[in-house]
mmCIF file of all heavy atoms in Angstrom:
data_model
loop_
_atom_site.group_PDB
_atom_site.id
_atom_site.type_symbol
_atom_site.label_atom_id
_atom_site.label_comp_id
_atom_site.label_asym_id
_atom_site.label_seq_id
_atom_site.Cartn_x
_atom_site.Cartn_y
_atom_site.Cartn_z
ATOM 1 N N TYR A 191 -20.777 10.606 7.869
ATOM 2 C CA TYR A 191 -20.812 10.552 6.398
ATOM 3 C C TYR A 191 -21.306 11.883 5.815
ATOM 4 O O TYR A 191 -20.813 12.341 4.789
ATOM 5 C CB TYR A 191 -21.712 9.403 5.922
ATOM 6 C CG TYR A 191 -21.863 9.373 4.411
ATOM 7 C CD1 TYR A 191 -20.817 8.957 3.597
ATOM 8 C CD2 TYR A 191 -23.049 9.801 3.803
ATOM 9 C CE1 TYR A 191 -20.946 8.956 2.215
ATOM 10 C CE2 TYR A 191 -23.189 9.798 2.423
ATOM 11 C CZ TYR A 191 -22.129 9.380 1.637
ATOM 12 O OH TYR A 191 -22.252 9.389 0.271
ATOM 13 N N LEU A 192 -22.283 12.504 6.496
ATOM 14 C CA LEU A 192 -22.820 13.766 5.965
ATOM 15 C C LEU A 192 -22.092 14.979 6.526
ATOM 16 O O LEU A 192 -21.827 15.932 5.797
ATOM 17 C CB LEU A 192 -24.323 13.876 6.279
ATOM 18 C CG LEU A 192 -25.225 12.826 5.631
ATOM 19 C CD1 LEU A 192 -26.676 13.054 6.047
ATOM 20 C CD2 LEU A 192 -25.097 12.849 4.111
ATOM 21 N N ILE A 193 -21.819 14.982 7.838
ATOM 22 C CA ILE A 193 -21.193 16.153 8.467
ATOM 23 C C ILE A 193 -20.141 15.659 9.464
ATOM 24 O O ILE A 193 -20.420 14.746 10.250
ATOM 25 C CB ILE A 193 -22.234 17.012 9.232
ATOM 26 C CG1 ILE A 193 -23.337 17.516 8.285
ATOM 27 C CG2 ILE A 193 -21.557 18.198 9.928
ATOM 28 C CD1 ILE A 193 -24.427 18.339 8.975
ATOM 29 N N ARG A 194 -18.962 16.267 9.444
ATOM 30 C CA ARG A 194 -17.950 15.984 10.468
ATOM 31 C C ARG A 194 -17.773 17.259 11.299
ATOM 32 O O ARG A 194 -17.005 18.161 10.942
ATOM 33 C CB ARG A 194 -16.634 15.549 9.841
ATOM 34 C CG ARG A 194 -16.806 14.264 9.014
ATOM 35 C CD ARG A 194 -15.558 13.441 8.886
ATOM 36 N NE ARG A 194 -14.332 14.203 8.796
ATOM 37 C CZ ARG A 194 -13.128 13.657 9.012
ATOM 38 N NH1 ARG A 194 -13.016 12.377 9.339
ATOM 39 N NH2 ARG A 194 -12.050 14.380 8.898
ATOM 40 N N PRO A 195 -18.468 17.343 12.442
ATOM 41 C CA PRO A 195 -18.492 18.598 13.200
ATOM 42 C C PRO A 195 -17.095 19.080 13.629
ATOM 43 O O PRO A 195 -16.876 20.285 13.756
ATOM 44 C CB PRO A 195 -19.350 18.251 14.423
ATOM 45 C CG PRO A 195 -20.210 17.121 13.970
ATOM 46 C CD PRO A 195 -19.365 16.328 13.026
ATOM 47 N N ILE A 196 -16.168 18.154 13.841
ATOM 48 C CA ILE A 196 -14.830 18.560 14.283
ATOM 49 C C ILE A 196 -14.167 19.437 13.213
ATOM 50 O O ILE A 196 -13.452 20.388 13.530
ATOM 51 C CB ILE A 196 -13.979 17.321 14.642
ATOM 52 C CG1 ILE A 196 -14.558 16.651 15.905
ATOM 53 C CG2 ILE A 196 -12.505 17.692 14.852
ATOM 54 C CD1 ILE A 196 -13.934 15.295 16.241
ATOM 55 N N ASP A 197 -14.448 19.155 11.936
ATOM 56 C CA ASP A 197 -13.900 19.988 10.848
ATOM 57 C C ASP A 197 -14.432 21.414 10.920
ATOM 58 O O ASP A 197 -13.873 22.319 10.296
ATOM 59 C CB ASP A 197 -14.261 19.403 9.475
ATOM 60 C CG ASP A 197 -13.614 18.041 9.243
ATOM 61 O OD1 ASP A 197 -12.691 17.680 9.990
ATOM 62 O OD2 ASP A 197 -14.054 17.333 8.305
ATOM 63 N N HIS A 198 -15.537 21.610 11.653
ATOM 64 C CA HIS A 198 -16.165 22.938 11.729
ATOM 65 C C HIS A 198 -16.035 23.555 13.116
ATOM 66 O O HIS A 198 -16.753 24.501 13.431
ATOM 67 C CB HIS A 198 -17.642 22.829 11.352
ATOM 68 C CG HIS A 198 -17.866 22.269 9.982
ATOM 69 N ND1 HIS A 198 -17.559 22.962 8.829
ATOM 70 C CD2 HIS A 198 -18.320 21.051 9.573
ATOM 71 C CE1 HIS A 198 -17.834 22.212 7.769
ATOM 72 N NE2 HIS A 198 -18.293 21.049 8.201
ATOM 73 N N GLY A 199 -15.166 23.001 13.969
ATOM 74 C CA GLY A 199 -14.901 23.647 15.252
ATOM 75 C C GLY A 199 -15.482 22.973 16.482
ATOM 76 O O GLY A 199 -15.365 23.510 17.579
ATOM 77 N N ALA A 200 -16.098 21.789 16.340
ATOM 78 C CA ALA A 200 -16.604 21.089 17.534
ATOM 79 C C ALA A 200 -15.426 20.542 18.344
ATOM 80 O O ALA A 200 -14.419 20.117 17.775
ATOM 81 C CB ALA A 200 -17.512 19.932 17.127
ATOM 82 N N ASP A 201 -15.562 20.548 19.674
ATOM 83 C CA ASP A 201 -14.530 19.988 20.554
ATOM 84 C C ASP A 201 -14.881 18.573 21.002
ATOM 85 O O ASP A 201 -13.999 17.786 21.330
ATOM 86 C CB ASP A 201 -14.358 20.888 21.779
ATOM 87 C CG ASP A 201 -13.950 22.295 21.373
ATOM 88 O OD1 ASP A 201 -12.842 22.451 20.844
ATOM 89 O OD2 ASP A 201 -14.761 23.230 21.541
ATOM 90 N N ILE A 202 -16.172 18.292 21.065
ATOM 91 C CA ILE A 202 -16.647 16.972 21.488
ATOM 92 C C ILE A 202 -17.840 16.619 20.585
ATOM 93 O O ILE A 202 -18.703 17.473 20.340
ATOM 94 C CB ILE A 202 -17.120 17.002 22.964
ATOM 95 C CG1 ILE A 202 -15.949 17.365 23.892
ATOM 96 C CG2 ILE A 202 -17.760 15.671 23.377
ATOM 97 C CD1 ILE A 202 -16.381 17.857 25.264
ATOM 98 N N VAL A 203 -17.865 15.377 20.100
ATOM 99 C CA VAL A 203 -19.015 14.918 19.307
ATOM 100 C C VAL A 203 -19.667 13.765 20.068
ATOM 101 O O VAL A 203 -18.958 12.892 20.594
ATOM 102 C CB VAL A 203 -18.571 14.451 17.901
ATOM 103 C CG1 VAL A 203 -19.733 13.842 17.125
ATOM 104 C CG2 VAL A 203 -17.975 15.624 17.117
ATOM 105 N N VAL A 204 -20.979 13.783 20.160
ATOM 106 C CA VAL A 204 -21.698 12.650 20.750
ATOM 107 C C VAL A 204 -22.668 12.078 19.723
ATOM 108 O O VAL A 204 -23.097 12.785 18.800
ATOM 109 C CB VAL A 204 -22.468 13.025 22.044
ATOM 110 C CG1 VAL A 204 -21.515 13.396 23.164
ATOM 111 C CG2 VAL A 204 -23.457 14.155 21.792
ATOM 112 N N HIS A 205 -22.960 10.798 19.898
ATOM 113 C CA HIS A 205 -23.901 10.111 19.015
ATOM 114 C C HIS A 205 -24.800 9.204 19.820
ATOM 115 O O HIS A 205 -24.355 8.568 20.767
ATOM 116 C CB HIS A 205 -23.165 9.151 18.069
ATOM 117 C CG HIS A 205 -22.619 9.795 16.847
ATOM 118 N ND1 HIS A 205 -23.401 10.085 15.772
ATOM 119 C CD2 HIS A 205 -21.372 10.205 16.548
ATOM 120 C CE1 HIS A 205 -22.657 10.642 14.839
ATOM 121 N NE2 HIS A 205 -21.414 10.738 15.280
ATOM 122 N N SER A 206 -26.031 9.073 19.337
ATOM 123 C CA SER A 206 -26.790 7.881 19.629
ATOM 124 C C SER A 206 -26.432 6.903 18.517
ATOM 125 O O SER A 206 -26.829 7.097 17.359
ATOM 126 C CB SER A 206 -28.287 8.186 19.626
ATOM 127 O OG SER A 206 -28.996 6.962 19.658
ATOM 128 N N LEU A 207 -25.690 5.842 18.857
ATOM 129 C CA LEU A 207 -25.331 4.818 17.861
ATOM 130 C C LEU A 207 -26.550 4.018 17.440
ATOM 131 O O LEU A 207 -26.542 3.300 16.436
ATOM 132 C CB LEU A 207 -24.283 3.861 18.460
ATOM 133 C CG LEU A 207 -22.931 4.450 18.831
ATOM 134 C CD1 LEU A 207 -22.122 3.437 19.639
ATOM 135 C CD2 LEU A 207 -22.152 4.840 17.582
ATOM 136 N N THR A 208 -27.596 4.128 18.270
ATOM 137 C CA THR A 208 -28.880 3.471 18.046
ATOM 138 C C THR A 208 -29.479 3.810 16.683
ATOM 139 O O THR A 208 -30.276 3.045 16.144
ATOM 140 C CB THR A 208 -29.861 3.967 19.146
ATOM 141 O OG1 THR A 208 -29.190 3.976 20.406
ATOM 142 C CG2 THR A 208 -31.102 3.134 19.217
ATOM 143 N N LYS A 209 -29.130 4.966 16.144
ATOM 144 C CA LYS A 209 -29.783 5.492 14.944
ATOM 145 C C LYS A 209 -28.968 5.112 13.704
ATOM 146 O O LYS A 209 -28.754 3.944 13.473
ATOM 147 C CB LYS A 209 -29.995 7.000 15.091
ATOM 148 C CG LYS A 209 -30.550 7.405 16.460
ATOM 149 C CD LYS A 209 -31.950 6.884 16.741
ATOM 150 C CE LYS A 209 -32.394 7.083 18.179
ATOM 151 N NZ LYS A 209 -32.292 8.439 18.685
ATOM 152 N N PHE A 210 -28.499 6.087 12.912
ATOM 153 C CA PHE A 210 -27.927 5.748 11.602
ATOM 154 C C PHE A 210 -26.628 4.943 11.689
ATOM 155 O O PHE A 210 -26.335 4.159 10.792
ATOM 156 C CB PHE A 210 -27.688 7.016 10.779
ATOM 157 C CG PHE A 210 -28.965 7.666 10.350
ATOM 158 C CD1 PHE A 210 -29.462 8.772 11.023
ATOM 159 C CD2 PHE A 210 -29.700 7.152 9.294
ATOM 160 C CE1 PHE A 210 -30.652 9.364 10.642
ATOM 161 C CE2 PHE A 210 -30.899 7.736 8.900
ATOM 162 C CZ PHE A 210 -31.374 8.848 9.572
ATOM 163 N N LEU A 211 -25.815 5.123 12.730
ATOM 164 C CA LEU A 211 -24.537 4.409 12.761
ATOM 165 C C LEU A 211 -24.775 2.908 12.875
ATOM 166 O O LEU A 211 -24.279 2.135 12.055
ATOM 167 C CB LEU A 211 -23.631 4.948 13.867
ATOM 168 C CG LEU A 211 -22.948 6.281 13.498
ATOM 169 C CD1 LEU A 211 -22.310 6.934 14.712
ATOM 170 C CD2 LEU A 211 -21.891 6.096 12.415
ATOM 171 N N GLY A 212 -25.554 2.477 13.874
ATOM 172 C CA GLY A 212 -25.964 1.069 13.922
ATOM 173 C C GLY A 212 -26.854 0.774 12.715
ATOM 174 O O GLY A 212 -26.650 -0.194 11.998
ATOM 175 N N GLY A 213 -27.860 1.606 12.550
ATOM 176 C CA GLY A 213 -28.593 1.700 11.298
ATOM 177 C C GLY A 213 -29.685 0.682 11.042
ATOM 178 O O GLY A 213 -30.397 0.812 10.052
ATOM 179 N N HIS A 214 -29.833 -0.315 11.876
ATOM 180 C CA HIS A 214 -30.803 -1.371 11.579
ATOM 181 C C HIS A 214 -31.893 -1.510 12.638
ATOM 182 O O HIS A 214 -32.631 -2.494 12.655
ATOM 183 C CB HIS A 214 -30.080 -2.712 11.395
ATOM 184 C CG HIS A 214 -29.185 -2.732 10.180
ATOM 185 N ND1 HIS A 214 -28.005 -2.019 10.127
ATOM 186 C CD2 HIS A 214 -29.305 -3.337 8.989
ATOM 187 C CE1 HIS A 214 -27.444 -2.206 8.936
ATOM 188 N NE2 HIS A 214 -28.206 -2.998 8.231
ATOM 189 N N GLY A 215 -31.968 -0.538 13.547
ATOM 190 C CA GLY A 215 -33.028 -0.561 14.549
ATOM 191 C C GLY A 215 -32.978 -1.775 15.454
ATOM 192 O O GLY A 215 -34.019 -2.245 15.917
ATOM 193 N N ASN A 216 -31.757 -2.282 15.736
ATOM 194 C CA ASN A 216 -31.699 -3.487 16.573
ATOM 195 C C ASN A 216 -30.817 -3.375 17.819
ATOM 196 O O ASN A 216 -30.769 -4.307 18.619
ATOM 197 C CB ASN A 216 -31.271 -4.714 15.739
ATOM 198 C CG ASN A 216 -29.926 -4.520 15.059
ATOM 199 O OD1 ASN A 216 -29.111 -3.722 15.517
ATOM 200 N ND2 ASN A 216 -29.692 -5.254 13.986
ATOM 201 N N SER A 217 -30.101 -2.265 18.016
ATOM 202 C CA SER A 217 -29.173 -2.192 19.156
ATOM 203 C C SER A 217 -29.040 -0.769 19.664
ATOM 204 O O SER A 217 -28.780 0.151 18.878
ATOM 205 C CB SER A 217 -27.769 -2.647 18.739
ATOM 206 O OG SER A 217 -27.811 -3.914 18.133
ATOM 207 N N LEU A 218 -29.166 -0.597 20.973
ATOM 208 C CA LEU A 218 -28.888 0.712 21.561
ATOM 209 C C LEU A 218 -27.397 0.886 21.784
ATOM 210 O O LEU A 218 -26.684 -0.081 22.091
ATOM 211 C CB LEU A 218 -29.610 0.879 22.903
ATOM 212 C CG LEU A 218 -30.945 1.625 22.773
ATOM 213 C CD1 LEU A 218 -32.060 0.647 22.579
ATOM 214 C CD2 LEU A 218 -31.182 2.523 23.948
ATOM 215 N N GLY A 219 -26.947 2.120 21.661
ATOM 216 C CA GLY A 219 -25.557 2.440 21.967
ATOM 217 C C GLY A 219 -25.343 3.927 21.876
ATOM 218 O O GLY A 219 -26.162 4.655 21.307
ATOM 219 N N GLY A 220 -24.247 4.399 22.466
ATOM 220 C CA GLY A 220 -23.881 5.810 22.372
ATOM 221 C C GLY A 220 -22.377 5.928 22.300
ATOM 222 O O GLY A 220 -21.662 4.964 22.639
#
Side-chain angles (χ1 to χ4, degrees):
Y191 176 73
L192 296 179
I193 300 178
R194 299 206 325 163
I196 292 171
D197 295 345
H198 302 290
D201 300 294
I202 298 161
V203 174
V204 294
H205 276 280
S206 169
L207 296 169
T208 316
K209 315 295 170 53
F210 291 101
L211 282 168
H214 294 71
N216 58 24
S217 307
L218 264 92

